[in-house]
Amino acid sequence: MNLVIRAVCAIFALRPVFLYLYAMNDLKNIISHFATEGEVCSVAPLGEGFINDTFIVRTGEGTPDYILQRKNKSIFPDVESMMDNIAKVTAHLRQKVEAEGGDPAREVLAVVPTRDGKLCFCDQAGEYWAMCVYIADTLAYSKADTPELARMGGVGIGRFQSQLADFHSPLAETIKGFHDIRHRFEQWDETLKLDRAGRVSAVASEISWIESRRAKMLEFRKLVDDGTIPLRVTHNDTKISNILFDRSGRVLCVIDLDTVMTAPALNDFGDAIRSYANTGAEDDRDLSRVGVSMPMFEAYADGYLSEQARTLTQSEIDYLAFSALYITYEQVLRFLMDYIDGDHYYKTAYADHNLVRARAQYRLLESMEENYDAMCEAISALAAKYRG
Ligand code: GN1
Ligand code: MG
């Protein structure tokens, strides 16, 4: 039956409806395996994540609500290790928030274990589920509307990185070579060779966008390999929708910790700029709307450097502006690669969605290239301001 519902919903692009029907059949049983409090009143799909399936689980008065996620095991091959990363990192963050006199219940994600003490539950179909406590009364955005919000986003990620600066337990690599462009090129070359969806010839000009910048991107990666750019504990998916803000605009809690790994801190800066400083949407069809907003760029960089300028090395400062180009380029590659491959990685809402995303992200990349000197100057000025 599920298969029929799934097929119908896929045909009519009714993913949320599918999730809801799926939920009603099976979710309460899955939830019963977790150490939750209270009676489950409702379960409904939540959010716009591209990878996992997310649900909000409402319980009655006086007990917390929860976030339930089916983790995408084709993307995260070792969900148990990923959850182990998240448990370790959140325990560390909790100690920091407590020591700073904050409210750990609202400022750190709380993983809900299963009743037998595991961090995730594997159902009969072999799907992995995880749960955390829902943090009520927060604001989430798909777009930064004001420079003030962008600045607070930068403060939040700067703080997140600094709270993890003394986290030294090893972390599993949840997705191999996630922001390593060398690894992405291996996948890219293979995808083009296989041409599984027969789309390569139709996107020749888009492919040339990637190829014309290949050498430059590989050159940057060498700086990571030779230790010029250090590794730190980073989030790796810092788009604005992965941050919860409080009503005063302050970052309350950084969520979606699936990709927390040891990686260059620059990834978090670059990915955030890709999101906060885009004047258009990530998948804008109207490319005239897409570009880098310098006020948003400066505001985010100001917030980030107010927290991190004294911690980052000079090499990291020198490549901060470039990191925005690097991550945006990588995102063009990833969307285009998924389109060429037949749309297996990202959730899509319509047939050429990944191609639309790749084109919009490419327009953003071009705009960053046009504004690159100004971006570098802004970073130098801000680094001087906060380093004294
Ligand atoms: C995915 O999971 P979500 O929707 O926050 C992706 C990111 C991309 C982003 C593009 C694990 O993020 O890397 O930048 O989509 N996450 C994974 O919006 O691939
Ligand atoms: Mg994510």
Side-chain angles (χ1 to χ4, degrees), residues 49-52 69 76 178 235-239 242 255-259:
F50 291 4
I51 307 293
N52 300 317
Q69 277 194 317
F76 300 108
F178 191 51
H235 183 279
N236 294 300
D237 190 4
T238 46
K239 65 182 179 186
N242 284 333
I255 59 171
D256 192 3
L257 302 178
D258 294 353
T259 51

Side-chain angles (χ1 to χ4, degrees), residues 321-337:
F322 186 76
S323 73
L325 279 65
Y326 176 86
I327 293 287
T328 306
Y329 170 88
E330 183 201 279
Q331 197 64 69
V332 179
L333 183 154
R334 290 173 64 198
F335 283 144
L336 190 55
M337 182 163 74

Side-chain angles (χ1 to χ4, degrees), residues 24-59:
M24 289 309 102
N25 286 339
D26 305 296
L27 292 180
K28 282 195 177 170
N29 175 38
I30 288 158
I31 294 162
S32 72
H33 291 272
F34 287 89
T36 55
E37 291 175 56
E39 284 297 306
V40 174
C41 300
S42 66
V43 186
L46 181 78
E48 297 165 0
F50 291 4
I51 307 293
N52 300 317
D53 293 337
T54 306
F55 303 87
I56 172 127
V57 180
R58 300 275 182 199
T59 72

Side-chain angles (χ1 to χ4, degrees), residues 197 199 335 337-346 348 350-355:
R199 291 173 170 173
F335 283 144
M337 182 163 74
D338 196 31
Y339 177 74
I340 291 169
D341 199 40
D343 308 310
H344 298 297
Y345 187 95
Y346 292 109
T348 51
Y350 51 86
D352 60 348
H353 200 171
N354 273 319
L355 184 58

